[in-house]
């Protein structure tokens, strides 16, 4: 039985000191009779990430919170993957899914006064696709690589052309990287785009003040009137301001919400959630649309170039024990390498069942024999696995430690290394030649985009270091990419999921809840989109 400890009075005082003392920004006072009336909230977060260049930072686990309030999107995607109009009020596509026509909402403006018209949308589509790499502005990772061009047909009509069928285009317009930025901002050099105060979006909030690595204060835009109808409100936000404040210690973030010094604590420990719920706090663990938490395996590195070793790894992980030990029932077992709430995900649970006897047999067949201390060896070399705990997922190291115990019983020698966000990005490059297992916590909107990034074709990300060496994977990739309808694509996606899991290319651990929210009971009405970001556009702070 797990013991739960709430912070002591000393811990609460420490939290207050952290909030009051590390920034010149004043925080709202707490009324004696409960949650303070008014429209100001404080959101405590563990980091604000490394850069505010929109193209580079929009996919950050941390910065996406701010971008979701200061920018808008062409389409809205909810937690079940349903796509609905936003700034694109409607759209059409041709029979081959190679041309799409977007019709834009009238009267929308960026905060710098620039109209959000067809020319502005074309400028955004172009930079999402190509970036300006020489200047350090990257393309958006999951934007369709089949993009050819976009043209402004008139002020409020955009025609988008693709080189091949691209069924995922419309859903991708709701991806949290697909944020609309004023063309005046996009024209600036990267160094100026990195200054958040210079960035003009069309969202319901404006940046009032910010300090690198410390806080961002947003204030509502009073003339805003183009919110997504799917959330039940289109006018100005109800809250006057949202302040995102960095507090690195998780217990202090939670203590500050408990004491009324803040309204939301991000990334609390899963083991704290049950007692917090019982104490009346709002706890949210939304799943995002994307990949489950797991490892993309580097097949170039021995022994993971051997399918039997990869299959032994797949069978040797007790996923239920991970949920029972590190997490809570809010977490779900992985059923594929794609989250089960993604349209197109299918259930392959049988391929992920814990079977240590099967793992032992596969390792024996692969020539790995037990040696001193139970570690398996082959040709004088131990069976090793180095894990790099993902700093974007607070529970990553705890899961790594548990999996290391599980694999240790089968004869693996597991080494765990932990870095901060910046160092992790430098040392653990995706698919890096020395990284045997890259931990994935990656979102996407449309499952059809997945196949295109798994190999190196068409500038794909080559997750498993296979290049074009696996003809089965290549064939599935090409047929999925060429599908002109969801009916044709669905069985191919099912086959892709089965094949990737059977080959041990991807080793799921659990369905991911990357964003954990603990919220004051006085704050209500927030929404969670398909990428599990909390939006306070519709939130109301009351008694």
């Amino acid at each position: 039985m797990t013991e739960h400890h709430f912070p002591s009075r000393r811990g609460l005082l420490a939290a207050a000191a952290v909030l009051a003392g590390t920034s010149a920004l004043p925080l709202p006072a707490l009324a004696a009779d409960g949650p303070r009336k008014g429209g100001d909230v404080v959101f405590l977060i563990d980091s604000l990430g490394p850069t505010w260049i929109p193209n580079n930072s929009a996919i950050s686990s941390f910065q996406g919170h701010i971008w979701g309030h200061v920018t808008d999107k062409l389409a809205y995607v909810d937690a079940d993957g349903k796509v609905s109009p936003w700034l694109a009020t409607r759209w059409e596509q041709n029979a081959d899914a190679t041309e799409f026509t977007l019709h834009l909402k009238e009267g929308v403006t960026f905060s710098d006064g620039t109209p959000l018209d067809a020319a502005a949308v074309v400028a955004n589509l172009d930079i999402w696709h190509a970036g300006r790499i020489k200047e350090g502005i990257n393309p958006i990772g999951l934007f369709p690589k089949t993009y050819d061009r976009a043209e402004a047909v008139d002020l409020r009509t955009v025609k988008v052309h693709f080189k091949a069928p691209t069924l995922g285009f419309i859903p991708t317009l709701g991806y949290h990287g697909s944020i609309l930025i004023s063309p005046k901002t996009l024209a600036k050099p990267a160094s100026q785009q990195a200054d958040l105060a210079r960035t003009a979006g069309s969202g319901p909030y404006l940046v009032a003040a910010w300090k690198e690595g410390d806080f961002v204060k947003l204030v509502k835009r009073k003339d805003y009137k183009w919110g997504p109808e799917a959330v039940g409100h289109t006018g100005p936000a109800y809250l006057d301001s949202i302040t995102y404040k960095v507090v690195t210690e998780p217990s202090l973030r939670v203590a500050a919400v408990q004491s009324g010094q803040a309204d939301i604590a991000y990334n609390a420990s899963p083991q704290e959630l049950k007692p917090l719920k019982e104490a009346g706090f709002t706890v949210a663990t939304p799943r995002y649309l994307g990949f489950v938490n797991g490892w993309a395996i580097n097949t170039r590195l021995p022994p993971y170039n051997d399918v039997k070793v990869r299959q032994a790894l797949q069978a040797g992980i007790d996923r239920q024990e991970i949920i029972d030990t590190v997490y809570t029932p809010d977490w779900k077992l992985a059923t594929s390498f794609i989250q089960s709430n993604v349209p197109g995900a299918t259930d392959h649970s049988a391929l992920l069942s814990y079977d240590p006897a099967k793992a032992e047999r596969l390792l024996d067949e692969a020539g790995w024999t037990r040696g001193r201390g139970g570690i398996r060896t082959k040709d004088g070399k131990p069976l090793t696995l180095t894990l790099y705990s993902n700093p974007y997922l607070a529970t990553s190291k705890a899961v790594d430690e548990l999996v290391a115990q599980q694999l240790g019983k089968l004869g693996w020698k597991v080494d765990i290394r932990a870095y901060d966000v910046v160092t992790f990005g430098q040392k653990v490059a995706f698919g890096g030649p020395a990284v045997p297992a890259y931990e994935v916590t990656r979102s996407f909107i449309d499952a059809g985009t997945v196949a295109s990034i798994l190999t190196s074709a068409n500038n794909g990300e080559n997750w498993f270091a296979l290049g074009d060496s696996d003809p089965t994977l290549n064939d599935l990739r090409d047929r999925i990419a060429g599908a002109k309808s969801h009916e044709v694509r669905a069985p191919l996606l099912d086959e892709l999921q089965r094949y990737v899991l059977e080959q041990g290319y991807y080793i799921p651990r659990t369905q991911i809840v990357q964003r954990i929210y603990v919220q004051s009971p006085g704050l209500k009405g927030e929404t969670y989109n398909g990428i599990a970001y909390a939006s306070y556009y519709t939130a109301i702070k009351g008694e």
Side-chain angles (χ1 to χ4, degrees), residues 225-276:
K225 55 184 178 183
W226 43 80
E229 292 184 6
V231 301
H233 177 56
T234 58
Y238 299 123
L239 296 172
D240 293 326
S241 74
I242 309 169
T243 298
Y244 290 88
K245 170 70 181 158
V246 174
V247 175
T248 56
E249 175 55 49
S251 63
L252 291 183
R253 294 196 295 272
V254 171
V257 172
Q258 289 176 289
S259 67
Q261 294 296 312
D263 301 280
I264 308 108
Y266 188 56
N267 279 348
S269 164
Q271 300 306 322
E272 292 183 276
L273 301 186
K274 184 179 178 182
L276 285 164

Side-chain angles (χ1 to χ4, degrees), residues 297-316 358-359 361-368 378 383 412 466 470 498-507:
I297 300 299
N298 186 341
T299 61
R300 284 186 187 165
L301 281 183
Y304 303 101
N305 55 350
D306 186 335
V307 64
K308 289 187 175 181
V309 175
R310 299 195 303 268
Q311 290 170 337
L313 197 58
Q314 194 76 283
K358 176 183 177 181
R361 174 177 55 78
L362 286 164
L363 290 173
D364 289 342
E365 291 174 0
W368 292 91
K378 182 178 180 180
L383 179 62
W412 258 279
L466 290 163
D470 185 331
R498 178 191 56 76
Y499 183 73
V500 166
L501 295 173
E502 281 181 343
Q503 293 296 308
Y505 291 150
Y506 195 104
I507 312 295

